[in-house]
């Protein structure tokens, strides 16, 4: 049986690649819905981007919802400097024709979890955790019904990418991340520690472009646009590819290695706001609450990604 997932996202070029990867894998992943959240850009534009990507995949049966338009307690921080003014600069994708669902994304998440058999839905989070935290606050009973939360977020050994200490998704809404990390559901984290290993080198991008389909061309255009910022920032051969590691973990968990430990979110310090304090060496005595992934097999990841993208229109 395929694993039922809900994708919570702020697309974002790397989010878009993750969505495409999931929708190209129906034998393993049953995508129940896609929920937009404010993050890389505002939630209204992210909802448009999500619908564009769903249409690109040919999976127009997938419902798309809009969730929260701002963090729980803070002003929204966005990342147009990386993703462009639309959040999805690069390819020229047509305006979406599939409708945005009327139901609020938070209510959809609650309803889906409450109506399903317990422990049968995985939440795949690719952006700030506002929607998930708000769902947990509004209906705490969902925590025991979540099969797993697999998130892209945080950093420890690789430190931050939006501040010296914090990764973007967590920094945008650290209070939401704190709620999620305390909820008691099984959590697996793909931090920058992993995603900085998963670099879109020119050869890997050319292999995607060479697929010859619309999706491959769009992904090549997306990543060629978004990598400019990171190539200048890091000076590496290729830019890191973040969010698709969440989907790759569900498809081939053996590509990644890590350990179960305690992860706590800093919500008080101006200097380290949004830092994911990972007790990887088990020195704090705090209860374990997450699996922190630390390494990833980049060659295996790109082989999987390219094979899945080849299935799409």
């Amino acid at each position: 049986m395929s694993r039922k997932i809900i994708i919570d996202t702020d697309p974002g070029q790397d989010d878009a690649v993750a969505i495409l990867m999931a929708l190209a894998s129906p034998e393993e992943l049953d995508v129940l819905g896609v929920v937009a959240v404010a993050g890389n850009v505002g939630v209204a534009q992210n909802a448009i981007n999500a619908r564009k990507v769903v249409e690109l995949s040919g999976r127009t049966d997938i419902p798309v919802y809009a969730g929260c338009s701002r963090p729980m307690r803070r002003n929204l921080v966005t990342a147009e400097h990386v993703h462009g003014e639309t959040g999805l600069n690069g390819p020229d994708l047509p305006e979406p024709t599939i409708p945005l669902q009327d139901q609020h994304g938070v209510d959809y998440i609650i309803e889906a979890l409450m109506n399903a058999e317990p422990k049968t839905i995985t939440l795949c989070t690719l952006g700030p955790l506002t929607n998930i935290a708000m769902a947990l606050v509004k209906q705490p009973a969902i925590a025991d019904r979540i099969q797993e939360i697999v998130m892209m977020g945080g950093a420890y050994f690789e430190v931050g990418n939006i501040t010296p200490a914090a990764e973007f998704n967590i920094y945008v809404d650290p209070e939401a991340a704190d709620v999620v990390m305390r909820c008691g559901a099984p959590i697996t984290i793909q931090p920058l520690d992993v995603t900085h290993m998963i670099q879109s080198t020119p050869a890997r991008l050319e292999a995607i472009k060479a697929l010859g389909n619309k999706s491959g061309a769009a992904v090549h255009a997306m990543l060629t646009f978004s990598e400019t910022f990171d190539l200048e920032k890091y000076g590496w051969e290729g830019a890191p590819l973040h969010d698709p590691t969440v989907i790759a973990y569900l498809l081939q968990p053996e590509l990644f290695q890590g350990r179960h430990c305690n992860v706590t979110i800093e919500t008080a310090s101006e200097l380290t706001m949004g830092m994911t304090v990972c007790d990887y060496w088990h020195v704090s005595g705090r209860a374990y609450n997450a699996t922190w992934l630390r390494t990833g097999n980049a060659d295996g990841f790109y082989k999987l990604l390219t094979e899945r993208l080849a299935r799409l229109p």
Side-chain angles (χ1 to χ4, degrees):
M1 289 181 62
S2 57
R3 183 168 182 168
K4 297 181 184 301
I5 69 171
I6 294 172
I7 298 175
D8 193 82
T9 178
D10 60 339
Q13 289 87 354
D14 56 329
D15 303 68
V17 178
I19 294 168
L20 291 172
M21 193 177 190
L23 295 178
S25 307
E27 297 86 358
E28 297 100 332
L29 301 176
D30 178 8
V31 181
L32 303 179
V34 175
V35 184
V37 67
N40 286 324
V41 293
V43 69
Q45 183 62 48
N46 282 332
I48 292 171
N49 293 348
R51 289 150 60 209
K52 286 183 177 182
V53 174
V54 168
E55 288 199 358
L56 175 64
S57 76
R59 294 288 307 280
T60 55
D61 56 305
I62 305 298
V64 177
Y65 302 80
C68 295
S69 61
R70 52 160 292 171
M72 294 178 77
R73 291 184 57 192
R74 300 176 186 274
N75 294 326
L76 177 63
V77 175
T78 56
E80 288 89 351
H81 63 290
V82 178
H83 300 281
E85 68 277 4
T86 71
L88 196 58
N89 282 28
D92 184 17
L93 298 177
E95 289 302 306
T97 59
I98 60 173
L100 183 66
Q101 300 297 308
D102 291 334
Q103 187 178 25
H104 193 282
V106 169
D107 294 326
Y108 164 70
I109 292 168
I110 292 170
E111 182 179 284
L113 287 164
M114 294 302 293
N115 289 341
E117 289 294 318
K119 308 291 187 182
T120 59
I121 295 178
T122 294
L123 302 180
C124 299
T125 70
L126 313 178
L129 291 162
T130 313
N131 288 339
I132 310 304
M134 290 299 293
L136 286 162
V137 170
K138 187 172 183 180
Q139 179 48 275
I142 65 172
D144 290 335
R145 305 180 72 86
I146 297 168
Q147 181 178 1
E148 186 177 7
I149 299 171
V150 184
M151 70 173 69
M152 190 279 127
Y156 193 67
F157 296 96
E158 281 290 304
V159 298
N161 65 351
I162 187 68
T163 74
E167 179 274 331
F168 178 82
N169 286 345
I170 306 300
Y171 178 79
V172 169
D173 199 342
E175 284 79 16
D178 183 55
V179 169
V180 172
M181 294 310 303
R182 295 174 186 271
C183 77
I187 296 174
T188 298
I189 302 174
Q190 289 280 19
L192 299 184
D193 304 348
V194 171
T195 67
H196 279 185
M197 298 179 177
I198 310 297
Q199 295 176 18
S200 296
T201 62
R204 289 165 176 162
L205 289 178
E206 283 303 311
I208 291 171
K209 183 179 180 180
L211 293 174
N213 57 1
K214 289 191 301 181
S215 294
V219 167
H220 181 270
M222 289 176 197
L223 299 185
T224 301
F225 178 89
S226 63
E227 74 172 359
T228 304
F229 175 82
D230 282 336
L231 292 178
E232 182 177 344
K233 177 180 178 180
Y234 296 116
W236 297 337
E237 182 184 7
L241 186 55
H242 306 290
D243 295 328
T245 59
V246 167
I247 305 304
Y249 172 80
L250 295 178
L251 296 173
Q252 291 186 10
E254 66 273 12
L255 293 174
F256 306 96
Q257 302 295 324
R259 64 173 60 173
H260 203 214
C261 56
N262 180 271
V263 180
T264 303
I265 310 299
E266 177 58 69
T267 60
S269 166
E270 289 187 19
L271 187 63
T272 58
M273 180 66 63
M275 182 178 182
T276 41
V277 182
C278 172
D279 182 15
Y280 198 80
W281 304 116
H282 301 159
V283 297
S284 70
R286 293 191 290 264
Y288 301 172
N289 62 344
T291 297
W292 184 270
L293 299 175
R294 188 177 177 188
T295 62
N297 179 336
D299 287 338
F301 168 87
Y302 280 98
K303 179 181 178 181
L304 174 63
L305 173 61
T306 304
E307 184 270 324
R308 295 307 161 107
L309 292 176
R311 300 178 176 188
L312 296 173

